[in-house]
């Protein structure tokens, strides 16, 4: 079996904690213990709460010395560079010298917690330091607790904790992206603009590089056996035991012979192994004599073009996309891979955002249909009720979606999508049992293959998200928080049969906001969606996504996150306080991409 230790060969970024203190001798002596205790408390909060994608706790690095001036600040910067720090949090309990203690690296996300006391107020330093950051054009996040605390109380208030965690989750994503690759397998699928890979977008906004492989490389590896044969046998046995083949939707005269269907199973398993090896490499290949192929492309995300040059001749990529993006396979539970259908790299990067923020699998979906209550009544004779009463959005992908999207995993007894380390064997079995692998429609996928047929459980909090590229603006992000819903089985069948019933379905209802120009009704959400695709994350993660977007200088053009939950660099308020969306656009334009 493959060793996954090489998946993050460069390791994970650390969070740097900078304890800041007044340089005056007597003040420094009075506050040094408290300041260092605050720094250690922040580190403890983060390491006990946050995990990396492999399940390991995040690592915090505290400055070797308190920072009271330029020399100590420089030593801290050098220490953090040696120890792989990718984001920083400065902590101060009292007044300090802002220009002498600040961090000047504009590419590392930075937050400042100023202790809200009255004896020696760190809030005064916080105000002066964020002003210095703003004046120098280095945006920073301002963390200021609402309630005044006693000087001997070094506990972290709940509101401060929320901001520290939100900043850290988003900052870790920024640091994780830098230096990684997006692997494009093939090119543009069926004229979809989201498949166009814009190198400058990845370079300037994420610090990433792009890698390109023609789909003939997959053919070569299949034909020459460039994959681990032992793992292939184990995978084939696992698929036979766990993947339920569903009814063939094709007319009798168009159905493939059983022998061809069996060969297609063998091919799609090889496609999954090869795609994974292309992304992260596989040391086993070197031992088999394929040294070059063993390296991989250090790809944190990838896309497979598939349609139509591949699918007109070979089995569809549905299986590889569904199984790789799931939290388990023949090797057991493991971190999902991010692989986009049709090489829609904009959806891939969106899925990557959601995965790195939650550590859970993501669902790739078409934003297929808005069903109004009137249309549902006309077609089914039944009335939508509950949160679906004002209409639903049919999210359905062209064949694959992560099996986690079935909703068969549970949190407190409710449907969920969880990090792989929290999955039980029963939950894995339940996900597999909820999926029917349906032979593809031969008029659309002439090479055959198997689509992932399931319906998502209702009641899951979910966030649908998308990044779009807009000429004259650049990237913009949009999101809608809401819930999955289950329809009565006969209603679902009538609606599902009107599209492609062999594909995975998620019925979604966004949270509505009265009198909002977009979120006042469900129809407007779909009407304003910027693409035919979206990524779906478990949970309401919109606030984290907005914080992340601000770090990357990507404006958000559509969201239903409460204003009180918005957390952006403090300088955003200088671009306007009465119109947060407009201020976001102006700030992102003024600062430009993070790696410009």
């Amino acid at each position: 079996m493959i060793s996954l230790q090489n998946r993050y060969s460069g390791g994970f970024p650390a969070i740097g904690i900078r304890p800041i203190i007044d340089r005056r001798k007597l003040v420094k002596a009075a506050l040094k213990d408290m300041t260092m205790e605050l720094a250690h408390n922040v580190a403890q909060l983060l390491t006990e709460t946050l995990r990396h994608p492999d399940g390991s706790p995040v690592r915090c690095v505290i400055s070797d010395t308190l920072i009271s001036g330029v020399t100590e600040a420089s030593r801290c910067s050098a220490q953090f560079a040696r120890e792989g720090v990718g984001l920083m949090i400065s902590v101060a309990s009292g007044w300090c010298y802002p220009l002498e203690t600040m961090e000047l690296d504009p590419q590392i996300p930075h937050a400042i917690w100023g202790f809200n006391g009255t004896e020696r107020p760190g809030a005064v330093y916080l105000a002066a330091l964020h002003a210095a950051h703003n004046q120098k054009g280095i945006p920073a996040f301002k963390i200021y607790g609402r309630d005044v605390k006693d000087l001997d109380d070094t506990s972290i208030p709940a509101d401060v904790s929320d901001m520290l965690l939100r900043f850290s989750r988003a900052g870790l994503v920024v640091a994780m992206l830098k230096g990684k690759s997006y692997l494009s397998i093939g090119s543009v699928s069926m004229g979809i603009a989201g498949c166009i890979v814009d190198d400058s977008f990845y370079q300037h906004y994420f610090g990433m590089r792009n890698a390109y492989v023609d789909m003939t490389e997959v053919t070569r590896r299949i034909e020459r056996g460039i994959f681990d044969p032992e793992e292939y046998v184990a995978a084939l046995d696992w698929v036979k035991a766990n993947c339920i083949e569903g009814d063939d939707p094709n007319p009798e005269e168009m159905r493939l012979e059983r022998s061809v269907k069996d060969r297609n199973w063998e091919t799609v398993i090889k496609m999954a192994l090869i795609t994974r090896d292309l992304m992260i490499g596989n040391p086993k290949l070197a031992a088999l004599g394929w040294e070059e192929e063993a390296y991989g492309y250090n790809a944190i995300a990838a896309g497979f073009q598939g349609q139509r040059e591949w699918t007109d001749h070979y089995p569809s990529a549905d299986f590889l996309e569904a199984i790789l993006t799931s939290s388990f396979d023949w090797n057991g539970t493991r971190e999902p891979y991010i692989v986009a259908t049709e090489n829609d790299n904009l959806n891939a990067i969106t899925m990557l955002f959601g995965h790195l923020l939650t550590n859970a699998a993501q669902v790739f979906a078409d934003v297929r249909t808005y069903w109004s209550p009137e249309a549902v009544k006309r077609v089914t004779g039944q009335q939508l009720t509950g949160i679906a009463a004002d209409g639903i959005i049919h999210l359905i992908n062209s064949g694959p979606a992560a099996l986690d999207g079935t909703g068969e995993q549970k949190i407190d007894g409710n449907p969920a999508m969880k990090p792989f380390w929290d999955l039980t064997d029963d939950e894995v079995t339940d996900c597999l049992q909820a999926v029917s692998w349906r032979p593809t429609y031969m008029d659309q996928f002439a090479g055959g293959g198997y689509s992932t047929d399931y319906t998502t459980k209702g009641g899951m909090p979910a966030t649908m998200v998308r990044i779009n590229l807009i000429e004259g603006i650049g990237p913009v992000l949009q999101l809608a928080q809401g819930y999955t819903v289950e329809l009565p089985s006969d209603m679902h069948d009538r609606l599902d049969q009107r599209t492609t019933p062999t594909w995975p379905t998620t019925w979604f209802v966004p949270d509505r906001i009265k009198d909002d120009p977009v979120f006042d009704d469900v129809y407007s959400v779909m009407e304003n969606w910027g693409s035919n695709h979206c990524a779906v994350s478990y949970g309401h993660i919109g606030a984290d996504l907005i914080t992340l977007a601000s770090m990357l200088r990507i404006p958000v053009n559509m969201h239903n996150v409460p204003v009180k939950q918005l957390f952006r660099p403090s300088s955003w308020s200088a671009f306007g306080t009465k119109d947060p969306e407009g201020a976001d656009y102006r700030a992102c334009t003024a600062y430009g991409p993070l790696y410009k």
Side-chain angles (χ1 to χ4, degrees):
M1 302 302 176
I2 186 174
S3 169
L4 300 181
Q5 294 178 351
N6 63 319
R7 184 164 178 180
Y8 295 101
S9 57
F12 293 108
I15 303 173
I17 313 293
R18 307 174 74 248
I20 313 295
I21 198 165
D22 194 313
R23 65 189 300 176
R24 289 170 289 190
K25 181 178 179 179
L26 294 180
V27 179
K28 191 172 186 178
L31 292 180
K32 64 179 183 179
D33 292 339
M34 176 190 180
T35 303
M36 193 58 80
E37 186 174 355
L38 289 174
H40 280 279
N41 288 347
V42 170
Q44 182 178 359
L45 169 70
L46 301 180
T47 55
E48 290 181 352
T49 308
L50 302 179
R51 292 199 193 185
H52 289 304
D54 69 345
S56 62
V58 302
R59 180 170 59 96
C60 292
V61 177
I62 300 175
S63 174
D64 289 337
T65 61
L66 292 161
I67 300 169
S68 64
V70 173
T71 299
E72 292 154 324
S74 297
R75 289 173 181 167
C76 177
S77 296
Q79 176 193 352
F80 284 1
R82 290 192 305 270
E83 301 199 40
V85 166
L87 59 154
M88 301 181 189
I89 299 172
S90 290
V91 176
S93 59
W95 169 256
C96 313
Y97 294 9
L99 293 176
E100 297 185 15
T101 58
M102 68 187 296
E103 169 60 48
L104 296 175
D105 190 331
Q107 294 182 347
I108 297 180
H110 194 167
I112 308 147
W113 175 28
F115 182 83
N116 186 6
T118 55
E119 295 88 347
R120 299 184 185 275
V124 177
Y125 171 70
L126 169 63
L129 181 57
H130 99 87
H133 273 269
N134 296 348
Q135 189 169 335
K136 288 181 173 292
I138 306 173
F141 288 79
K142 181 180 177 183
I143 299 177
Y144 178 54
R146 182 178 182 86
D147 297 323
V148 174
K149 291 168 57 67
D150 297 329
L151 191 61
D152 60 352
D153 182 1
T154 58
S155 63
I156 302 176
D159 58 343
V160 171
S161 174
D162 288 344
M163 287 184 277
L164 287 169
L165 291 170
R166 179 156 294 147
F167 167 81
S168 298
R169 282 192 295 266
L172 284 167
V173 176
V174 174
M176 282 287 296
L177 295 175
K178 188 175 182 181
K180 299 298 193 302
S181 303
Y182 175 81
L183 174 62
S184 175
I185 304 175
S187 183
V188 175
S189 172
M190 300 187 299
I192 299 173
C195 308
I196 301 171
V197 179
D198 185 333
D199 279 21
S200 64
F201 167 56
Y202 281 87
Q203 177 184 341
H204 294 137
Y205 282 89
F206 310 127
M208 293 175 61
R209 69 174 73 218
N210 298 92
Y212 302 88
V213 174
D214 193 272
M215 289 185 292
T216 56
E217 173 62 10
V218 180
T219 305
R220 183 180 77 93
R221 294 193 183 203
I222 291 174
E223 293 179 351
R224 300 193 181 189
I226 308 176
F227 50 83
D228 181 353
E230 294 180 359
E231 184 177 7
Y232 165 68
V233 171
L236 183 60
D237 290 343
W238 182 88
V239 166
K240 289 179 178 179
N242 293 283
C243 294
I244 303 168
E245 185 174 323
D247 294 336
D248 192 327
N250 295 287
E252 189 68 37
E253 65 275 11
M254 293 184 66
R255 295 179 181 178
L256 297 174
E257 296 180 1
R258 183 67 253 172
S259 60
V260 177
K261 289 182 176 179
D262 291 341
R263 285 199 301 273
N264 282 349
W265 271 119
E266 296 170 359
T267 299
V268 298
I269 293 168
K270 294 173 184 176
M271 290 165 62
L273 295 173
I274 290 166
T275 298
R276 183 205 61 200
D277 292 350
L278 284 166
M279 291 179 68
I280 68 168
N282 187 347
K284 280 288 191 75
L285 301 183
L288 296 170
W290 304 102
E291 180 179 352
E292 180 183 353
E293 290 82 354
Y295 288 113
Y297 286 88
N298 192 34
I300 197 170
F304 192 93
Q305 175 194 331
Q307 299 184 73
R308 286 187 38 226
E309 287 78 1
W310 181 272
T311 56
D312 280 1
H313 183 57
Y314 292 105
S316 75
D318 292 357
F319 176 80
L320 83 84
E321 291 158 0
I323 202 65
L324 289 181
T325 57
S326 299
S327 299
F328 52 86
D329 61 16
W330 42 89
N331 290 317
T333 57
R334 47 95 178 122
E335 181 191 354
Y337 297 87
I338 301 301
V339 184
T341 302
E342 296 161 350
N343 196 30
D344 182 352
N345 66 99
L346 295 182
N347 225 47
I349 202 70
T350 308
M351 293 168 68
L352 188 56
F353 282 5
H355 169 58
L356 293 178
L357 286 171
T358 66
N359 292 319
Q362 306 294 296
V363 172
F364 183 115
D366 284 2
V367 186
R368 182 59 64 97
T369 309
Y370 163 71
W371 279 99
S372 67
E374 295 78 14
V376 171
K377 178 74 171 179
R378 174 178 56 82
V379 170
T380 69
Q382 300 181 63
Q383 193 72 41
L384 291 170
T385 60
I387 65 171
D390 293 308
I392 51 178
I393 296 177
H394 193 182
L395 304 178
I396 177 171
N397 192 9
S398 54
L403 307 192
D404 305 60
T406 57
E408 294 291 340
Q409 300 162 21
K410 299 291 188 294
I411 295 178
D412 296 329
N414 299 313
M417 295 167 63
K418 304 190 295 189
F420 75 90
W421 56 81
D422 283 337
L423 297 189
T424 66
D425 291 341
D426 287 343
E427 287 173 327
V428 171
T429 299
D430 290 343
C431 288
L432 289 164
Q433 291 293 313
V435 176
S436 176
W437 297 90
R438 305 285 298 278
T440 58
Y441 281 93
M442 297 302 294
D443 60 344
Q444 299 177 50
F445 301 93
Y450 297 92
S451 296
T452 320
D453 185 12
Y454 66 74
T455 303
T456 301
K457 291 280 189 182
M460 288 201 300
T463 306
M464 59 181 285
V465 198
R466 172 73 180 184
I467 287 178
N468 297 297
L469 288 178
I470 310 298
E471 179 63 27
I473 299 176
V476 297
L477 184 140
Q478 55 183 172
L479 65 92
Q481 298 184 150
Y483 290 87
T484 63
V485 295
E486 282 185 68
L487 305 181
S489 58
D490 53 346
M491 179 188 289
H492 164 83
D493 290 343
R494 290 291 297 273
L495 302 182
D496 199 38
Q497 289 294 328
R498 291 177 67 101
T499 176
T500 309
T502 61
W503 294 351
T505 280
T506 301
W507 299 108
F508 177 77
V509 176
D511 289 342
R512 294 176 58 192
I513 302 174
K514 183 176 174 56
D515 297 327
D516 185 273
V518 173
F519 288 94
D520 186 63
D521 65 19
V522 180
Y523 170 80
S524 295
V525 173
M526 179 160 176
E527 174 66 12
N528 285 277
W529 203 253
S531 172
N532 57 312
H533 291 155
C534 74
V536 181
S537 293
Y538 172 78
H540 289 165
I541 64 168
D544 285 352
L545 285 162
I546 290 171
T547 295
L548 171 59
S550 70
M551 290 180 179
L552 298 168
R553 319 293 187 251
I554 298 175
V556 180
N557 73 301
M558 169 180 155
H559 72 84
N560 57 347
V561 176
V563 173
K564 293 293 186 182
Q565 293 183 20
L566 301 183
F567 187 41
R568 290 174 168 131
S570 63
S571 61
W572 261 238
S573 63
F575 292 88
T577 56
K578 294 185 177 180
D579 174 19
E581 185 173 295
D584 184 31
Y585 270 80
R586 290 186 287 273
C588 290
T589 299
Y591 288 116
L594 187 58
Y595 304 102
K596 59 184 176 183

